[in-house]
Every structure is written in C-alpha cells, then in structure tokens.
Amino acid sequence: MISLNKELDNITPLSDLFFHSCFYSVFLPVVNYYEGNMFWFLVSIVAPYQCYSENGRCSVYMDYIQVELIPDLLNKQGLTMCSQKRDDDITDTISKSIEEDTPVIIRIDTYYWPGHKDYLKDHNKHYILICGFHSQQSEFTVMDQEVSDGINYGFRRVSMSTLIQSYYGGFDFFLEDSLDTVFVVKRTGNVSKVSHNTIIETYNCNLALYSEQFSNGHHVLEDFAERFVVLLEAQAIDNYDDVITGFNDISNFKSAEVYINRILYGELSAQCIESKNIHEKWTIIRSLIARYMYSGRVNNPRKVLEYIQEIVVSEKCLLMKAY
C-alpha cells in the first residue's frame, strides 16, 4: 500500500557546481544518495574546444566527449540505471519508486514549467529529480534550479497537474525525439568504493587519450580569437546568442574543472591554481562581451585576444601535468 506522503532524506543538491548539463545536476546527487562516487562521472567526460564554422558563425564552445558511458560507470559501483522512452502512467511510477526509497529523474518541457524563463514562451528539454510525494495535496517534491539557467539547485513542491503537463507536453513538441525520458537508479548489491588514486589515474588517462583533440582545440581557439577580435573592432558581430551561449558553457565547464582539480589535487596544487587562472580569464572575457552586447563597443578589443592566447598557454601547461 502506498503512503499518503513520503520524502526521501539524504538527497543533497550540488553546491556551486554545474557540470555539462542539467541532467548531471540531478543525476550526480542520486549517485551520492546511494553513496557512490560522483567523481568517476566527472572525470569520464573530456571537453576540447570547438568552433562553429558554417554559415559565417563565429563562436566557440566545449565539445563534450563521453569517454565511458554512464551505465558502465554505475555497474562498476554496484548500481544500475533503468530508463524508458515514455511512461504512460508517470505519476504512479514516481509514487511507487519513492515508496521504495528510489528517486526518479524525468525529462520535462520548460514551456509548461512555471518559474522557468521559457514558461509559455519556448520549448526546451530539461531534467528534474523527484524525491517526494504528497497525495492529499496532489503535489510532488522536486529538485530543480533555484533560478532559470542558474547553477544552484534546491527543493520545491509542484502540483501533480503541472508535472503531468510538463512531462507529456514534451512528447507533443519533440515528435521525432527517441531519447529516454524517465531514469531510475538502483542498487544491484553492495556499493563498491572507488579509491581517490583510481579517480586521478582515470582522469589523467582520459586526458592523455584525447591529447590530439585537445591540441586541435587549442588551434581552433587561437583561430577563433583572431577572427573574433577583427569582428569586435569592426563592430560586426551579429550572432550574440551563439557567442554568449558558448562563453557561458565554457565558463561553467572551466568552473567545474576548478572544482575537480581542487578535490583531486588540493586547493594549493599547481593544477588547481592553473585551472582557476583559466576560469577567471574566461569570466573576464564573458563580461567584456556582455558589455559589448549592451553598449555596442569594447575598449581595447585586442585585450580579448591576449586573454585567449594566455588561456591557451595555461591549458597546455595544465595538460602537461596530466600526461
């Protein structure tokens, strides 16, 4: 018999860490909930720089490469993930899972999600974690971004009708989408502990494995900087959304790299200091371009080129420490 109300304890949002996508922001707390090691997932994605080249677009972004798949990493820790493309009775599935002390990740359409910047404006895929239900109030407790596009997550209650509409509404819009939309992680036995040294070795091996892609990415970034500064000087940038989206993505990932290097090597390590330097420079570049968007000009555009050239030098030094 399913209870009227239930909340799962010991689920904690990540603090000041946004890694790769909103899926990871709700998935990694689930790994922690089962006392798994989330760092194995953090070090199993590498991201060289890449640049848009078609249709005259001039923007740079992170090219995420999944070195080892999520199911394989879960299996190594005594965990497994069940997923499905569509659940025709999503509220029943959620209630039964939570009754079994199992949180549920679902994909929703932000168009139907109150509080999101896309609400009743744009259709976009978004992932939330459901960790409680309240049958008498017809509400669920969800973990989600406290502010749209923010990196901090918290808990709030949403009505059953809102959850149903935001889940099934996505199928009406994303008609050709064949991706899974419901994810449940469970134990398969005792959770296997992963040593700190194993995580470091995995991280360094993955970076070395894609050394050629990183080298190409550095050339891509340098070429982008040369072209981008010319456009800045001519006040000829017309793809603001591309540029800012790319810079935001880079800044978030570089912030995550600071977090990874701090935990793996320590606050005062050369790796952590170098990654902080890279992140700080990207933050400055992003603010300069944001100012350009509002004022139409940047004082000393060549400074952007200098910052990116310095970033490339720092990136190469950081990678040399891993090889």
Side-chain angles (χ1 to χ4, degrees):
M1 179 178 177
I2 295 180
S3 308
L4 292 176
N5 302 289
K6 183 161 185 176
E7 293 271 4
L8 299 183
D9 297 325
N10 301 322
I11 295 181
T12 306
L14 301 178
S15 178
D16 297 325
L17 171 66
F18 185 87
F19 181 75
H20 185 10
S21 68
C22 59
F23 176 82
Y24 276 89
S25 292
V26 293
F27 168 73
L28 294 176
V30 174
V31 175
N32 290 340
Y33 170 71
Y34 288 113
E35 299 181 336
N37 192 319
M38 76 171 194
F39 276 90
W40 218 348
F41 300 90
L42 295 181
V43 303
S44 292
I45 288 182
V46 297
Y49 292 103
Q50 190 53 270
C51 186
Y52 288 112
S53 57
E54 72 280 5
N55 301 325
R57 296 166 74 181
C58 184
S59 57
V60 67
Y61 62 96
M62 306 310 299
D63 183 20
Y64 295 100
I65 301 172
Q66 186 91 42
V67 182
E68 195 164 2
L69 298 179
I70 287 177
D72 296 333
L73 293 170
L74 286 170
N75 290 338
K76 286 182 177 181
Q77 299 190 62
L79 299 169
T80 187
M81 183 166 69
C82 305
S83 61
Q84 55 182 317
K85 295 186 178 2
R86 180 187 176 108
D87 190 315
D88 291 326
D89 196 352
I90 188 64
T91 57
D92 185 62
T93 296
I94 292 169
S95 299
K96 288 180 178 177
S97 293
I98 292 173
E99 185 67 25
E100 297 172 354
D101 297 322
T102 305
V104 181
I105 297 171
I106 68 169
R107 189 196 74 186
I108 59 170
D109 183 345
T110 54
Y111 183 87
Y112 304 102
W113 197 241
H116 197 280
K117 66 180 179 62
D118 294 338
Y119 182 54
L120 301 181
K121 295 178 181 177
D122 295 310
H123 294 271
N124 278 298
K125 301 166 191 173
H126 183 56
Y127 294 90
I128 60 170
L129 176 66
I130 306 163
C131 51
F133 64 82
H134 312 272
S135 298
Q136 290 177 314
Q137 294 84 12
S138 296
E139 292 179 334
F140 289 96
T141 299
V142 304
M143 179 195 291
D144 190 20
Q145 290 167 314
E146 293 179 343
V147 179
S148 295
D149 291 341
I151 65 172
N152 292 321
Y153 277 63
F155 299 100
R156 64 187 175 104
R157 289 192 187 184
V158 299
S159 68
M160 182 182 295
S161 59
T162 293
L163 189 138
I164 289 172
Q165 186 179 36
S166 61
Y167 176 71
Y168 291 111
F171 292 99
D172 295 332
F173 186 78
F174 307 116
L175 295 176
E176 298 179 359
D177 193 346
S178 61
L179 298 177
D180 290 337
T181 63
V182 183
F183 306 85
V184 176
V185 176
K186 296 182 178 181
R187 286 190 178 96
T188 57
N190 294 328
V191 175
S192 304
K193 299 300 181 182
V194 185
S195 73
H196 190 79
N197 285 340
T198 297
I199 298 298
I200 291 177
E201 289 171 6
T202 301
Y203 190 36
N204 290 338
C205 286
N206 290 343
L207 293 175
L209 183 63
Y210 288 90
S211 59
E212 184 177 348
Q213 286 85 343
F214 281 111
S215 179
N216 291 338
H218 296 151
H219 293 306
V220 162
L221 187 57
E222 290 172 321
D223 291 343
F224 160 79
E226 294 281 0
R227 292 189 295 120
F228 186 68
V229 168
V230 170
L231 292 174
L232 270 180
E233 291 176 327
Q235 298 184 17
I237 296 176
D238 55 8
N239 59 326
Y240 300 114
D241 289 342
D242 275 352
V243 173
I244 291 298
T245 297
F247 285 174
N248 285 340
D249 184 39
I250 292 170
S251 183
N252 285 336
F253 189 77
K254 294 305 170 183
S255 176
E257 283 190 340
V258 174
Y259 180 86
I260 292 169
N261 283 311
R262 182 173 67 246
I263 300 299
L264 294 187
Y265 302 107
E267 185 78 37
L268 300 179
S269 66
Q271 291 91 335
C272 187
I273 292 171
E274 201 74 78
S275 57
K276 278 183 180 179
N277 179 44
I278 293 168
H279 177 244
E280 287 169 1
K281 284 188 169 62
W282 274 117
T283 301
I284 294 171
I285 292 170
R286 183 174 60 174
S287 66
L288 288 173
I289 302 311
R291 194 180 309 159
Y292 173 84
M293 286 180 62
Y294 291 106
S295 67
R297 62 191 299 270
V298 172
N299 294 328
N300 191 10
R302 288 279 149 183
K303 196 66 181 173
V304 174
L305 178 60
E306 291 176 17
Y307 279 134
I308 291 180
Q309 289 172 335
E310 290 171 6
I311 285 171
V312 171
V313 172
S314 295
E315 294 272 14
K316 290 177 179 178
C317 289
L318 193 58
L319 285 171
M320 286 297 295
K321 290 179 174 62
Y323 296 163

